[in-house]
Amino acid sequence: MNTFSMKRVALFLFAGVLSLTVLQTAAAQAKHTVDVKVQKINEIVAPGDVTINIDPSNGNFTGTATTSDGYDVTSNVSGGAKVQVQATNTNNTDQLNSLKILEGGTDAPGSADANTVTLVDSDGTTGGPQALTNSNFTGVDVDNLSVEFEAEVSPDFKPNKSNTSVTVQYTLTSTGGGN
């Protein structure tokens, strides 16, 4: 056998082995399906405590304060969600003319905007849950949303003796549609 024929045979054998390797690689393939399932979540974490200091030296018995650490909202409910607030516990509110959450200094999650909400009214009464957000929002995972409070007291409020405290409850409610 001449050298040229041996080279052709060797090349042919090399091509055959390479072809078998490629075929075996292709024959070794497999596949499977991965299912991704996401659980529903509708969670709200209230902000830290707030102290409102009022200095009536200019005749103004109103003060404001913003939460130093805001509230957190996580929601993926398909019909949307909204935030409600309510004064659930009041202490010594007879001299508290009003306590409000101010829309101008309050952040809302997602596509929503905040409303001004009166938690304690001028007669010292509190109402039920009120909408802090004026529209529904979906697909939210946001932390540290600020809340600005405003308090107004009467001139009879006894300095450093009549501390008033109000517990504010935050509720994240779904608005329906696929929950």
Side-chain angles (χ1 to χ4, degrees):
M1 195 180 264
N2 68 21
T3 308
F4 180 70
S5 293
M6 282 185 61
K7 285 183 181 178
R8 281 173 63 191
V9 169
L11 186 59
F12 180 71
L13 285 174
F14 177 73
V17 170
L18 184 62
S19 298
L20 284 175
T21 305
V22 170
L23 285 176
Q24 277 196 327
T25 303
Q29 292 179 352
K31 63 180 179 178
H32 68 102
T33 302
V34 177
D35 288 327
V36 177
K37 295 184 178 184
V38 179
Q39 303 300 314
K40 290 184 201 170
I41 184 168
N42 217 27
E43 180 179 78
I44 189 164
V45 178
D49 294 342
V50 176
T51 298
I52 301 174
N53 292 310
I54 297 176
D55 179 8
S57 60
N58 60 1
N60 186 358
F61 287 83
T62 302
T64 61
T66 304
T67 56
S68 59
D69 60 338
Y71 67 108
D72 305 339
V73 175
T74 303
S75 179
N76 65 354
V77 294
S78 58
K82 63 181 177 181
V83 177
Q84 293 183 321
V85 289
Q86 177 180 5
T88 60
N89 184 35
T90 57
N91 173 31
N92 198 23
T93 58
D94 51 331
Q95 295 172 30
L96 181 62
N97 288 355
S98 68
L99 177 65
K100 295 179 180 180
I101 294 178
L102 299 178
E103 162 269 329
T106 299
D107 292 334
S111 57
D113 292 318
N115 289 323
T116 292
V117 175
T118 301
L119 295 167
V120 178
D121 213 342
S122 56
D123 60 2
T125 61
T126 61
Q130 299 174 66
L132 181 62
T133 55
N134 63 10
S135 58
N136 302 334
F137 52 86
T138 58
V140 169
D141 182 17
V142 63
D143 295 337
N144 210 24
L145 295 164
S146 66
V147 185
E148 184 178 25
F149 292 87
E150 175 189 83
E152 183 181 336
V153 298
S154 69
D156 325 347
F157 198 93
K158 298 173 186 66
N160 302 322
K161 295 190 181 185
S162 298
N163 289 338
T164 297
S165 62
V166 176
T167 301
V168 181
Q169 178 175 314
Y170 295 72
T171 306
L172 184 60
T173 59
S174 62
T175 58
N179 292 317

